[in-house]
């Protein structure tokens, strides 16, 4: 049941407004302080003061007095009346006495003791209300089935009985009565409707039971099964359909006709009840026959009927409730000690009083929640209130909307409140930058506010009460756009230039763009998450597009003011503006919608006139830094911790100086491909100029510092210069990667051809690097010249003929190696690895050349060549340095290989040379093709057990005719060579075959020789075919050579090998073709060598080879 409401009158509206702040001071209550609203909240307030507000503000004391008389005191009397006639207990954690509640309202309403006493007396003299218990019988479940069908026809009887009467009625009976309510002669008895044939009846009926005292009063409800008189035929039909009901039928036969059956009851003491109860109660039996009788759902509420009408001058209870709520909230917030937003909690006394008042006046929960929403939403606009408080009320309103119909005036009030709060919330949203700065404390408040706005639009109440289309997404977007434009104009006004000076104008623009950049960053990183999460709005895209438009207009307007005034200072002031715009433009990558073209897309065109000045500034600044770096450079290696740095400070500085050039290219990010290419050409040209200038300044610096320096210091500084140039060369090598030439090539492929690109950028850099390489080589050659001279001096000293017999080869080479070890270690410590390697290579080649020249000065001294060969080996080990120096490929040049072979041969003894000679002959025999001079066939084998070499000469074929008759008298001579290896073995010969060019010999020979001699170097069987002449020396038919290692039994491990037959082509030696013979011939003092050479020379004279 809903009481008649008088609507939201003007008087009720004033009750919801907070009193003026001066009121607290006028009443003298120092403990209650009015809490001030925040500056941000004041910015968002949209409420306008009317004429009455202006009058009150002119006389605050008079206004407070009127407000207290007209508004507060009637509410105060309502509360005193409520306390005086309290019914039931509240649901608060603590129950409060009347004195506690009176003290609370006295403080909350700022009443003096006299005022309280006067109003209390008035309330005591008023008519008392009629106490009433409003009972809603909702339903029951699981009741007993009393009819034959197994069901019942239940109905309920309700009344309030007092204990003395109840005991008098039941005291004389020996047996408990079932029908306490039915048998009650006195009291109001109400009855529900009858529900036919059910065990789970649903009534949902409301009753009001009046009572006078609640201390000894009990509420009784009895449930009965309605029995009506039926005919015998009906009873028989029920019996046929339900055989199990026969017992019930017999029991019914014993009853009086029309007597109802008792189903159960509930008895509740009024003094134990709360103001409101909503509970399932067990139906209690009168006997123990059926203890489980089901449950009954009851809603109970204590209300007042016919309250004194003089209390509040005809205002409705709903309006009074709104006023009391507003006053309690304001009193609670004014006592709050911290600055945190109010979270919707009241103290226990206030909560208890609101509950009592709402129940006594039968204000529905829907109206209570409506009052709270209206009060809290208005309070939100003036004080710091937690948005979750609004969420709770919106949820409650949505729950009650379909449960209960609101009166017309309250519907209007709810609709206006929801729509008004939406407009106020959108106003806050438009100013979110100022009201909700990006802090962990305030950002969640913006999120909650947006969620409240979304929740309002989702509620059925708002959709019903505001039929016009309201798209929250569009409204929030418009609010953000308008707020962004307003914010931009405010910032623009704050950053207006003080004068018309161009630099001051650009400086003001730079500060404005900086503000915009920061706002875009916050929109992307902070606020976008809030808006997307709450209202699915990409606020970053909205803000970015709006600021893009505003900023583009402002940029063009400002640059038009400084047109045709470009100079270096103005260009310098424009550079940070360009960089900031570039950073803002890069943020377009985060836009979710790419439909419309951004207005700042071609902003770089506005800075084209300033671009040459920026390049000139970068070049001149870098050049100045390089000059200063060289001027202070002492050309000493740097030392950083335990790791030595072999270049000087200027080399580090120039690398740092060139880095800003690459950074400038990256910062500019010039979008036009063709212009970007020309810009890169200019930057590369400037870098090359800086590098060339640095090289010249470094050479001048080393000359300056070397004037008064000793030799060692000068060499050390020269090493540092070489390292500096090498470091610069490395820096230039990395330049294409730093400047991202590959990316530029892709961008300019459609406007710049490959040939033009390669002939411009890489050629510029290669030219500068080549110049640096020449300077490095020149410096390295200067260092190497001194070392080459010293190496040559040591080599000549060690290999001079006067010193050959005086000391060993190792001792002779020691001075040279010590010198090289010292100098190379010094160079390695003072040169970077690249330059040290570039020094080693020419030094090695020159050392080989010196040794080669020395080898040509002597042709027969064995010790001399052995010393040179040992020197070459030592130099190779020194320059190789166990893999840490030059590689073997670099060391083993063709000149080195020739020298090594020459020295190796010249270092051999005569016997070793003879062995080499026969090894050469064996090799020639293997590769010789054809039988130009005929061939000889042998069968050979070697028996290790007997140490016998068996040779059988089978025949010779195709011999050349050497006699005048056109034939020859051949025989074969066998000799084991070299002779020094087989001194005891004499040559053997076959018989002479006269006039036969294909003689058949078939003669066998055996040589007793150890296996070790057969396996010695150069060991071979020399087969010579001669033509016998009686009157003169035998003619030479040809010769062949068979290595003893190729004889079966010598090379293999068999003791009795199978003899092998071999056909050997006959050869003639080429005159003067053997270098070994030349070496032996040069050793005049070696008798055996001379004899061997003489024998071979004689054979060469008989040779038919040219």
């Amino acid at each position: 049941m809903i009481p008649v409401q008088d609507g939201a009158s003007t008087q009720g509206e004033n009750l919801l407004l907070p009193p003026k702040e001066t009121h607290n001071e006028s009443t003298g209550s120092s403990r209650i302080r009015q809490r001030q609203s925040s500056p941000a909240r004041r910015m968002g307030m949209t409420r306008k003061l009317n004429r009455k507000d202006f009058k009150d503000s002119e006389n605050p004391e008079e206004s407070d007095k009127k407000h207290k008389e007209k508004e507060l005191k009637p509410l105060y009397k309502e509360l005193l009346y409520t306390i005086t006639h309290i019914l039931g207990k509240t649901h608060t954690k603590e129950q409060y006495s009347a004195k506690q509640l009176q003290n609370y309202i006295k403080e909350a309403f700022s009443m003096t003791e006299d005022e309280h006493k006067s109003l209390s007396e008035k309330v005591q003299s008023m008519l008392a209300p009629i106490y009433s218990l409003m009972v809603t019988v909702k339903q029951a479940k699981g009741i007993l089935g009393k009819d034959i069908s197994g069901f019942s026809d239940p109905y309920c009887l309700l009344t309030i009985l007092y204990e003395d009467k109840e005991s008098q009625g039941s005291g004389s009976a020996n047996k408990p009565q079932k029908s306490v309510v039915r048998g009650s002669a006195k009291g109001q008895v109400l009855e529900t409707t009858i529900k036919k044939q059910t065990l789970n009846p649903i009534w949902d009926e409301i009753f009001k039971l009046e009572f006078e005292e609640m201390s000894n009063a009990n509420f009784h409800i009895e449930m009965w099964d309605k029995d009506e008189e039926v005919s015998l035929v009906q009873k028989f039909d029920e019996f046929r359909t339900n055989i199990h009901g026969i017992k019930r039928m017999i029991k019914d036969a014993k009853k009086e006709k029309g007597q109802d059956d008792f189903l159960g009851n509930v008895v509740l003491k009024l003094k134990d009840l709360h103001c409101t109860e909503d509970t399932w109660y067990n139906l209690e039996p009168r006997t123990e026959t059926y203890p489980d009788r089901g449950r009954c759902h009851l809603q109970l509420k204590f209300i007042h009927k016919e309250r004194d009408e003089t209390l509040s001058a005809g205002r409705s209870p709903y309006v009074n409730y709104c006023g009391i709520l507003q006053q309690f909230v304001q009193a609670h917030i004014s006592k709050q000690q911290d600055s945190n937003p109010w979270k919707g909690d009241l103290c226990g006394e206030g909560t208890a009083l609101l509950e009592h008042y709402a129940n006594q006046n039968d204000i529905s929960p829907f109206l209570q929640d409506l009052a709270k929403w209206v009060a809290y939403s208005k309070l939100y606009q003036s004080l710091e209130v937690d948005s979750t408080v609004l969420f709770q009320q919106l949820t409650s309103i949505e729950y009650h909307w379909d449960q209960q119909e609101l009166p017309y005036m309250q519907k209007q009030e709810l609709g206006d409140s929801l729509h008004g709060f939406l407009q106020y919330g959108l106003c806050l949203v438009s100013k979110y930058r100022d009201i909700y700065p990006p802090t962990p404390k305030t950002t969640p408040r913006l999120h909650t506010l947006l969620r409240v706005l979304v929740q309002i639009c989702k509620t059925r109440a708002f959709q019903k009460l505001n039929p016009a289309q309201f798209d929250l997404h569009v409204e929030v977007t418009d609010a953000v756009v308008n707020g962004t434009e307003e914010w931009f104009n405010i910032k623009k006004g704050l950053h207006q230039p003080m004068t018309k000076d161009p630099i001051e104008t650009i400086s003001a623009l730079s500060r404005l763009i900086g503000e915009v950049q920061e706002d875009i960053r916050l929109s992307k990183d902070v606020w976008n998450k809030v808006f997307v999460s709450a209202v699915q709005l990409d606020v970053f895209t909205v803000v970015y597009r709006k600021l893009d438009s505003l900023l583009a207009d402002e940029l063009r307007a400002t640059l038009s003011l400084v047109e045709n005034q470009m100079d270096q200072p103005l260009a310098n002031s424009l550079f940070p503006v360009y960089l900031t715009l570039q950073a803002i433009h890069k943020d377009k990558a985060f836009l979710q919608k790419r439909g419309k073209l951004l207005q700042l897309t071609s902003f770089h065109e506005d800075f084209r006139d300033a671009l040459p000045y920026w390049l000139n500034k970068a070049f001149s600044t870098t050049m100045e830094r390089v000059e200063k770096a060289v001027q202070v450079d002492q050309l000493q290696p740097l030392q950083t911790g335990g790791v030595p740095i072999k270049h000087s400070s200027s080399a580090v500085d120039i690398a740092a100086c060139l880095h800003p050039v690459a950074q400038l290219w990256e910062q500019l990010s010039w979008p036009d491909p063709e212009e970007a290419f020309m810009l890169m050409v200019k930057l590369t040209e400037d870098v090359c100029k800086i590098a060339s200038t640095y090289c010249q300044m470094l050479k001048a610096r080393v000359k300056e510092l070397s004037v008064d320096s000793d030799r060692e210091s000068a060499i050390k500084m020269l090493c540092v210069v070489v390292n500096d140039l090498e470091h610069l060369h490395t820096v230039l090598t990395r330049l294409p990667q730093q400047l991202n030439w590959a990316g530029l090539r892709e961008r300019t492929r459609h406007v710049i051809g490959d040939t033009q690109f390669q002939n411009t950028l890489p050629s510029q850099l290669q030219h500068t690097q080549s110049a640096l390489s020449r300077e490095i080589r020149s410096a390295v050659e200067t260092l190497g010249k001194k070392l080459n001279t010293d190496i040559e001096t040591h080599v000549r000293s060690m290999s001079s003929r006067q010193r050959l017999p005086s000391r060993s080869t190792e001792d002779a080479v020691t001075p040279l190696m010590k010198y090289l070890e010292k100098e190379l270690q010094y160079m390695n410590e003072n040169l970077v690895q690249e330059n040290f390697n570039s020094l080693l290579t020419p030094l090695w080649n020159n050392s080989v050349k010196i040794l080669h020249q020395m080898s040509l000065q002597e042709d027969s001294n064995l010790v001399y060549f052995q010393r040179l060969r040992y020197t070459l080996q030592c130099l190779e080990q020194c320059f190789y340095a166990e893999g840490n120096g030059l590689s073997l490929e670099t060391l083993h040049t063709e000149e080195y290989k020739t020298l090594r072979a020459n020295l190796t041969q010249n270092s051999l003894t005569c016997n070793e040379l003879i062995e080499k000679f026969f090894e050469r002959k064996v090799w020639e025999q293997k590769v010789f093709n054809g039988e130009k001079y005929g061939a000889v066939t042998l069968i050979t084998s070697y028996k290790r057990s007997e140490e016998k070499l068996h040779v059988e000469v089978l025949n010779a074929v195709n011999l050349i005719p050497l006699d005048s008759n056109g034939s020859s008298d051949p025989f074969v001579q066998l000799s084991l060579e070299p002779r020094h290896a087989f001194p005891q073995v004499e040559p053997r010969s076959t018989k002479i075959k006269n006039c036969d060019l294909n003689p058949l010999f078939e003669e066998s020979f055996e040589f007793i020789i150890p296996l070790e001699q057969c396996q010695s170097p150069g060991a071979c069987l020399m087969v010579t075919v001669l033509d016998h002449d009686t009157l003169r020396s035998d003619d030479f038919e040809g010769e062949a050579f068979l290595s003893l290692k190729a004889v079966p039994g010598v090379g293999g491990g068999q003791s009795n090998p199978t003899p092998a037959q071999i056909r050997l082509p006959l050869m003639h030696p080429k005159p003067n073709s053997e270098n070994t013979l030349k070496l032996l011939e040069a050793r005049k003092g070696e008798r055996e060598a001379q004899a061997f050479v003489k024998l071979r020379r004689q054979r060469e004279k008989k040779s038919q080879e040219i």
Side-chain angles (χ1 to χ4, degrees), residues 153-155 191-196 203 205 224 226 228:
D153 302 324
Y155 68 94
E191 182 177 346
T192 66
T193 58
I194 301 171
K195 301 299 178 182
K196 295 291 186 176
W203 287 284
E205 299 176 12
W224 295 83
K226 185 66 175 178
E228 298 179 355

Side-chain angles (χ1 to χ4, degrees), residues 326-341:
Q326 176 71 32
Q327 192 66 26
F328 283 178
V329 170
Q330 190 172 359
H332 180 81
I333 294 177
S334 65
K335 294 172 63 177
Q336 195 167 315
Q337 298 298 322
D338 54 27
S339 58
N340 294 326

Side-chain angles (χ1 to χ4, degrees), residues 332-360:
H332 180 81
I333 294 177
S334 65
K335 294 172 63 177
Q336 195 167 315
Q337 298 298 322
D338 54 27
S339 58
N340 294 326
W342 180 55
K343 296 186 179 298
D345 299 326
L346 292 176
C347 63
E349 295 91 335
T351 304
L353 282 171
L354 287 173
E355 184 178 352
H356 279 303
Y357 186 83
N359 292 329
Q360 290 177 9

Side-chain angles (χ1 to χ4, degrees), residues 654-805:
I654 192 172
C657 293
L658 292 179
H659 177 70
V661 176
Q663 187 178 16
L664 174 64
W665 165 256
E666 184 179 355
Q667 289 173 334
L668 291 176
S669 297
W670 203 259
D672 186 87
E674 191 170 0
E675 293 179 357
F677 176 74
M678 300 307 298
L679 176 61
M680 178 62 75
V681 172
K682 175 61 177 172
L683 289 175
T684 305
E685 181 182 350
D686 290 345
V687 170
C688 293
K689 285 182 181 179
I690 293 170
S692 301
T693 304
Y694 172 74
C695 182
Q696 299 303 321
M697 288 190 294
L698 207 59
K699 291 169 62 178
R701 182 62 176 168
V702 73
K703 290 180 180 179
E704 177 186 351
L705 296 177
S706 300
V707 174
D708 299 326
S709 301
D710 55 13
R711 172 186 172 278
E712 185 176 351
S713 298
I715 293 178
K716 189 173 184 178
M717 285 189 289
L718 185 59
C719 290
V720 172
V721 170
V722 173
N723 295 335
D724 289 346
L725 296 180
E726 185 64 38
H727 183 72
L728 177 59
H729 190 280
T730 305
V731 171
L732 292 180
T733 304
R734 296 195 297 263
L735 189 65
Q737 183 179 0
Q738 290 180 341
L739 296 180
N740 192 17
W741 283 9
L744 180 64
R745 172 71 287 210
E746 292 299 321
R747 288 178 54 197
T748 60
R749 191 171 296 279
H750 64 287
V751 293
I752 305 294
D754 289 338
T755 304
Q756 182 181 359
F757 191 91
Q758 294 296 328
N759 292 339
T760 307
L761 289 179
S763 62
Q764 277 184 329
L765 188 60
Q766 290 171 5
H767 178 74
T768 304
Q769 288 180 315
S770 299
L772 281 177
S773 298
R774 288 194 297 271
E775 294 292 344
I776 293 172
R777 286 197 301 271
S778 176
V780 170
E781 288 173 0
T782 303
L783 292 172
K785 285 179 181 179
K786 173 62 178 172
L787 296 178
N788 289 331
T789 303
D790 293 342
I791 290 174
E792 185 175 0
T793 302
H794 280 84
V795 171
R796 291 185 181 277
S797 174
M798 121 191 133
S799 59
S800 63
R801 183 172 292 275
Q802 291 79 9
R803 297 191 179 184
L804 284 179

Side-chain angles (χ1 to χ4, degrees), residues 780-792 795 816 819-821 823-825 827-828 831 835-851 872 875-876 878-879 886 890-891:
V780 170
E781 288 173 0
T782 303
L783 292 172
K785 285 179 181 179
K786 173 62 178 172
L787 296 178
N788 289 331
T789 303
D790 293 342
I791 290 174
E792 185 175 0
V795 171
L816 171 62
Y819 170 78
L820 279 177
E821 182 180 359
E823 293 299 325
L824 293 180
Q825 181 179 2
M827 294 300 175
N828 189 29
L831 289 176
N835 293 332
F836 181 67
N837 291 340
S838 64
L839 174 65
L840 287 180
T841 302
L843 195 62
W844 164 254
N845 293 333
N846 193 67
S847 300
V848 172
K849 188 179 296 184
I850 292 173
L851 290 178
L872 180 63
L875 288 175
E876 182 180 2
C878 177
F879 281 90
L886 297 179
T890 305
L891 292 171

Side-chain angles (χ1 to χ4, degrees), residues 909-918 978 980 1076 1080 1092:
T909 63
C910 292
N911 291 341
E912 290 174 337
L913 286 174
I914 294 173
E915 292 170 358
K916 291 293 183 183
F917 173 82
F918 284 109
H980 63 267
T1076 306
L1080 290 171
F1092 179 77

Side-chain angles (χ1 to χ4, degrees), residues 1082-1095:
R1083 299 181 182 180
K1084 303 296 184 180
E1086 297 289 341
R1087 207 178 277 182
E1088 293 181 1
Q1090 295 303 317
F1092 179 77
V1093 172
K1094 182 180 179 181
L1095 180 62

